Amino acid sequence: MGRIMLELDVMMARRHVSLNDLADKVGIANVNLSKIKNNKVNAIRFGTLAGICEALECEPGDILKYDPEGEQE
């Protein structure tokens, strides 16, 4: 079975947004955002995803990718 990967770091680089700035805009702790950015989470709340998309002016599909070869951790 594949896995869903987060490419938040790619979108942050494209938008020239730092981890601390994005955490402030979304309203979550930078430690938690760092876990999301580094694919260290098994789930993400839709509200958090919506806040990230709003702050980065992107769609969920811009940061969520399916890896058919990946293994779930």
Side-chain angles (χ1 to χ4, degrees), residues 2-49:
R3 77 182 267 192
I4 301 295
M5 301 289 299
L6 290 157
E7 294 187 344
L8 181 57
D9 55 340
V10 174
M11 188 56 64
M12 288 172 63
R14 286 183 185 158
R15 299 291 193 252
H16 305 289
V17 175
S18 72
L19 183 76
N20 289 335
D21 288 342
L22 184 58
D24 287 343
K25 289 179 182 179
V26 176
I28 63 174
N30 62 354
V31 171
N32 293 333
L33 186 60
S34 179
K35 289 178 182 178
I36 294 169
K37 179 179 165 260
N38 294 307
N39 281 292
K40 300 295 182 191
V41 295
N42 291 320
I44 183 170
R45 292 175 186 246
F46 283 155
T48 301
L49 182 58

